[in-house]
Amino acid sequence: MFNILFFLLFIANSALADTAITETDVHTEATVPAETTTPMEASVPPESAAPNVIAPLEEVIASEEVVASEEAVASEEAVASEEAVATQDAVSPVDPQLYQQAINQILPKDNRPVGRLEAGKEIFTKRTILKMLEQGGPPPLWDPISIQSLSDALSGLAADGLNPGEYRFEEIEPYLNDPTHSAKSPEDAARIDVLLSEAYLRAMYNLEYGKVDPQRLDADHNFAGLRDGADRSSQFLSWVQKGRIDEAFDWARPKSNSYKLLKSALARYQKIMADGGWTKIPSGKVIKLGKSDSRISLVRSRLAITGDLASAYGQDTVDEELEQAIKKFQNRHHLKADGVIGRGTLAVMNIMVEQRVDQIRANIDRQRWYYPKNLKEYLVVDVAGFQIYWIKNQEVIWQEHVQVGKRFTSTPIFRDQIEHIDFNPTWSVPPGIKRRTILPSLKIDPSYLDKKGYRLLDDYGRDVDPYSIDWENMSKMPFTVRQPPGWGNALGKVKFMFPNKHSVFLHDTNHRELFSRKVRTTSSGCIRLQNPFVFAERILARQEGWGRDRIDRILNSSRTTRVNLEQPLPILIQYSTVSVAGDVVFFRTDIYRRDSKLLAALDDPFRLHVPDLPKRTQLLIKGRVKSASASAAKLLTPKPEILGEPYNNIYQDEPDNGGNSMFEL
């Protein structure tokens, strides 16, 4: 049939070509395909045109091109039709009634939020899957295109620090490897649809909220991703139907540059790991400028692999180029940047690449917790980096150094908002410090409060004589201990309040000399600012009638004065042990030893986060976590200290190296 049609078309075009011999050149040119006719050619007058003896040949060629074009279109349509048929063949017809019966059995419409195929195979996203199936049209829900898209997107999760194999369940692996694989029965089709959907939604959940639930690690944590209660099942379904699971995963990922920079760092260190990593450097004498050592070739190789040194080739002597590379390495790892490889620097150099990859993975998951979706202006306290940042419209507009809590009085990780500022504040000693410091000190010396200038008050605010109390036999501190305002006050001359159960806030300090330390774990949990009056000026500049002159007048009055903020300022207190500035990766000291616990949870099986569980279960989990935290705190209880004196920090001689913002946005 096709040959007959082609023959008739050829005869017709030949006849047209014969007719064209007797017609004018204008007509002949009009029959040439438009893309070959220029304005200049179209404007030539007929009388100046030479006899067109080759016009019939051109027209035959043109007509053959038309036929060829029609053949190509027909061929493309045939291929598309064959592909469509192939797709239909790959998606075997499923009896809708038997399919629905199987779905009803797998995911019964009851009050239970979690379904179960059999023991050990929970369907955590049951309700969303049911809604997708109801809206999805004739079964099956997943076709070869969408399955291929899911397979590719799951494989890409390694770049997010997640384990793709965790979502490639054994039962759906044949389909992910070969999307044209067909289910053997409606019951099988139903199971596969449910499991593919569960894999898809689990990955979405982990990308948006984090693989690890922060509230299972820390009872004080309140960074749980916002749950607005919106039903997004139709949006999730549309990505499946379009075969664009990559778009779905991109939607779920945090949009912050911090997340993107950490992903780039992970890719770099995963590449180093795939290439074999680096070799451990044996212990030995100190390596420094001018010294020769057989281990220097290993040092050069180690530093070149991570980009601290341009080339691994060189002599077995420390020259100036190598010394600068050592300093760069030390700088990136919060070490004393003296260019000398001693025991501490060598130990950090010998941390294997696998551990660094895991450390980056852990911090990528933290960024999924911390991502401030709906905030345009906020503060971030980077506890492990000892910095505070003011972020506005994704730009860092101000930053400075801070001091944070010691390990056994660690600064809690949570979010809140600054509501007011107190100038010339009094300080009511928190319960924890009264228990750990004040009471033990009074047992040793009843004059302790007088020496410190503190007042002892009862529940009615009346003064109590500390010498009238039998401190030796007292197990609890029933009184308020208050320090009056002044330059000697533990809070300095100003504090920034975000009322919370931890009694933690930002404040001035009477120990500014501690800002010269590299690792500033010096407080009892609060956050000490290096330049609190500059911060006060900036935050009050958002209110009419406030400037530095007015602030100074209040400070000089010595009167305790509260200023309420017209616009509370959100504050996010975070903990990250890896940061990236530009293309430089910085590894921090895990001052509170939290990475290992997070990493263990990162490799655990999937779990719903506490906010998505029934209320009773939430209370049970929070109670267990709080109890475990309290037990750990007892093990870390310090000896009585003299309140306000510098803490003996083993890192105190390391130089400061601020400005390496993890928020290079």
Side-chain angles (χ1 to χ4, degrees):
M1 184 67 180
F2 181 82
N3 291 333
I4 293 171
L5 178 60
F6 177 83
F7 177 77
L8 291 173
L9 284 169
F10 179 80
I11 295 298
N13 278 288
S14 298
L16 287 171
D18 291 338
T19 305
I21 296 174
T22 62
E23 294 188 357
T24 65
D25 293 317
V26 173
H27 178 79
T28 302
E29 289 166 0
T31 63
V32 176
E35 61 268 23
T36 64
T37 305
T38 66
M40 184 179 291
E41 289 169 337
S43 65
V44 177
E47 58 268 25
S48 64
N52 192 354
V53 295
I54 63 170
L57 179 59
E58 289 178 343
E59 291 187 5
V60 169
I61 292 171
S63 65
E64 288 178 345
E65 288 175 348
V66 170
V67 172
S69 175
E70 290 173 348
E71 284 182 307
V73 170
S75 177
E76 288 175 1
E77 289 176 349
V79 170
S81 176
E82 288 174 1
E83 287 179 347
V85 170
T87 300
Q88 290 172 359
D89 289 342
V91 183
S92 300
V94 174
D95 185 305
Q97 188 173 358
L98 293 177
Y99 175 92
Q100 189 57 52
Q101 288 175 2
I103 291 294
N104 293 342
Q105 193 170 21
I106 297 168
L107 302 177
K109 293 182 179 180
D110 50 28
N111 294 325
R112 297 177 181 176
V114 176
R116 178 174 293 181
L117 288 175
E118 55 256 357
K121 288 187 178 179
E122 284 80 16
I123 305 300
F124 291 100
T125 59
K126 169 184 170 181
R127 290 173 178 169
T128 303
I129 292 174
L130 284 173
K131 290 177 181 178
M132 289 170 60
L133 292 172
E134 288 171 0
Q135 303 168 41
L141 176 63
W142 291 82
D143 62 23
I145 294 173
S146 57
I147 294 173
Q148 184 64 60
S149 179
L150 176 63
S151 181
D152 294 341
L154 290 178
S155 297
L157 292 178
D160 294 274
L162 299 173
N163 177 13
E166 187 176 321
Y167 309 92
R168 301 177 73 96
F169 312 135
E170 183 179 355
E171 198 166 339
I172 60 173
E173 185 68 14
Y175 296 82
L176 295 172
N177 290 334
D178 178 11
T180 62
H181 194 81
S182 296
K184 296 178 181 178
S185 66
E187 292 77 14
D188 282 345
R191 283 178 67 93
I192 296 306
D193 266 355
V194 168
L195 288 169
L196 289 169
S197 301
E198 176 74 1
Y200 164 50
L201 295 173
R202 281 192 192 185
M204 291 277 284
Y205 186 91
N206 288 158
L207 284 171
E208 183 173 8
Y209 299 127
K211 170 66 193 304
V212 179
D213 179 2
Q215 292 186 345
R216 291 180 186 267
L217 299 181
D218 184 350
D220 297 329
H221 217 298
N222 67 348
F223 273 99
L226 296 175
R227 272 71 164 171
D228 57 11
D231 179 4
R232 294 190 173 87
S233 56
S234 59
Q235 178 64 69
F236 297 158
L237 173 64
S238 71
W239 281 314
V240 174
Q241 292 175 328
K242 290 187 297 183
R244 295 309 304 265
I245 307 303
D246 56 327
E247 289 182 2
F249 285 9
D250 282 342
W251 174 88
R253 290 181 175 100
K255 307 302 182 291
S256 67
N257 271 3
S258 301
Y259 189 83
K260 295 173 186 174
L261 288 169
L262 281 170
K263 279 188 66 176
S264 69
L266 179 63
R268 190 187 315 174
Y269 276 77
Q270 285 174 331
K271 173 70 165 55
I272 292 172
M273 184 168 66
D275 291 342
W278 49 76
T279 303
K280 279 195 174 185
I281 303 166
S283 59
K285 294 181 179 179
V286 168
I287 298 174
K288 59 183 179 181
L289 183 64
K291 294 286 185 180
S292 297
D293 196 298
S294 60
R295 297 170 296 160
I296 288 178
S297 60
L298 292 176
V299 171
R300 289 184 180 277
S301 174
R302 169 68 181 83
L303 296 175
I305 286 170
T306 48
D308 299 293
L309 183 64
S311 172
Y313 300 103
Q315 56 190 348
D316 282 346
T317 302
V318 179
D319 53 22
E320 290 186 0
E321 182 187 21
L322 180 55
E323 183 188 44
Q324 290 303 312
I326 294 167
K327 287 181 179 180
K328 182 178 179 181
F329 176 87
Q330 291 168 329
N331 182 45
R332 290 196 306 109
H333 294 81
H334 262 238
L335 299 167
K336 184 178 180 180
D338 57 5
V340 176
I341 301 179
R343 186 167 54 184
T345 298
L346 185 65
V348 175
M349 281 186 166
N350 283 336
I351 294 175
M352 291 291 95
V353 66
E354 292 80 5
Q355 291 172 264
R356 291 307 188 195
V357 166
D358 279 344
Q359 190 175 356
I360 299 170
R361 289 178 60 224
N363 283 276
I364 287 177
D365 210 47
R366 285 185 173 119
Q367 286 303 311
R368 289 189 273 262
W369 305 340
Y370 298 151
Y371 176 51
K373 274 188 178 179
N374 303 316
L375 297 181
K376 293 185 177 180
E377 187 171 9
Y378 53 94
L379 299 171
V380 171
V381 177
D382 178 14
V383 173
F386 312 105
Q387 297 285 317
I388 184 171
Y389 304 93
W390 190 325
I391 314 292
K392 186 174 183 179
N393 296 324
Q394 295 294 297
E395 296 288 339
V396 177
I397 62 172
W398 174 83
Q399 71 181 78
E400 73 171 27
H401 299 335
V402 296
Q403 299 173 32
V404 299
K406 308 167 188 135
R407 186 185 167 210
F408 45 76
T409 56
S410 60
T411 298
I413 308 305
F414 68 107
R415 61 185 292 169
D416 212 306
Q417 59 180 14
I418 299 177
E419 297 178 359
H420 62 263
I421 303 172
D422 287 347
F423 292 102
N424 300 312
T426 60
W427 181 44
S428 295
V429 180
I433 297 178
K434 286 194 295 183
R435 182 183 69 252
R436 293 189 305 266
T437 301
I438 300 293
L439 185 56
S441 297
L442 284 167
K443 288 177 181 290
I444 296 169
D445 180 6
S447 66
Y448 176 79
L449 296 181
D450 279 346
K451 291 176 180 177
K452 291 292 182 181
Y454 297 159
R455 295 172 63 193
L456 193 66
L457 307 172
D458 64 15
D459 291 343
Y460 299 97
R462 297 174 300 201
D463 284 298
V464 175
D465 181 3
Y467 298 99
S468 66
I469 307 299
D470 181 9
W471 298 112
E472 284 288 338
N473 295 314
M474 186 167 288
S475 58
K476 293 182 180 180
M477 170 61 82
F479 305 109
T480 296
V481 178
R482 183 170 296 160
Q483 185 181 29
W487 288 107
N489 189 285
L491 306 182
K493 295 284 284 182
V494 61
K495 65 178 181 179
F496 305 86
M497 299 298 293
F498 37 103
N500 58 82
K501 65 181 181 180
H502 314 291
S503 300
V504 165
F505 40 87
L506 303 176
H507 65 83
D508 183 17
T509 177
N510 55 3
H511 286 294
R512 288 195 176 85
E513 73 280 0
L514 301 180
F515 283 106
S516 64
R517 296 182 179 181
K518 178 80 167 182
V519 176
R520 295 181 285 276
T521 48
T522 55
S523 82
S524 293
C526 283
I527 300 145
R528 301 172 180 174
L529 297 170
Q530 186 173 27
N531 296 294
F533 306 119
V534 172
F535 180 60
E537 187 177 357
R538 291 188 69 96
I539 200 170
L540 287 175
R542 306 186 309 158
Q543 299 183 190
E544 190 175 351
W546 282 93
R548 187 57 184 264
D549 289 345
R550 186 175 179 183
I551 291 172
D552 288 342
R553 286 197 301 272
I554 292 173
L555 291 171
N556 293 332
S557 73
S558 297
R559 291 194 305 271
T560 301
T561 304
R562 173 165 295 184
V563 181
N564 293 316
L565 297 186
E566 295 171 2
Q567 301 174 47
L569 184 60
I571 180 168
L572 316 180
I573 304 175
Q574 304 179 356
Y575 185 88
S576 300
T577 60
V578 181
S579 67
V580 184
D583 61 351
V584 181
V585 184
F586 296 86
F587 295 95
R588 283 97 170 260
T589 305
D590 184 10
I591 55 174
Y592 296 156
R593 302 184 186 179
R594 295 184 172 181
D595 279 359
S596 58
K597 196 173 179 181
L598 171 54
L599 274 169
L602 193 58
D603 293 324
D604 278 347
F606 179 88
R607 281 177 169 179
L608 289 174
H609 291 199
V610 170
D612 300 311
L613 298 172
K615 292 293 183 184
R616 183 171 176 275
T617 308
Q618 290 186 32
L619 293 173
L620 288 172
I621 292 173
K622 288 178 180 179
R624 283 201 301 266
V625 174
K626 191 171 183 179
S627 177
S629 299
S631 298
K634 287 179 182 178
L635 295 175
L636 294 171
T637 301
K639 296 176 182 179
E641 58 180 316
I642 303 302
L643 195 65
E645 284 198 359
Y647 172 57
N648 183 22
N649 193 306
I650 61 173
Y651 300 101
Q652 60 184 313
D653 294 327
E654 294 183 356
D656 181 67
N657 189 42
N660 300 322
S661 171
M662 67 177 291
F663 295 96
E664 182 174 296
L665 304 173

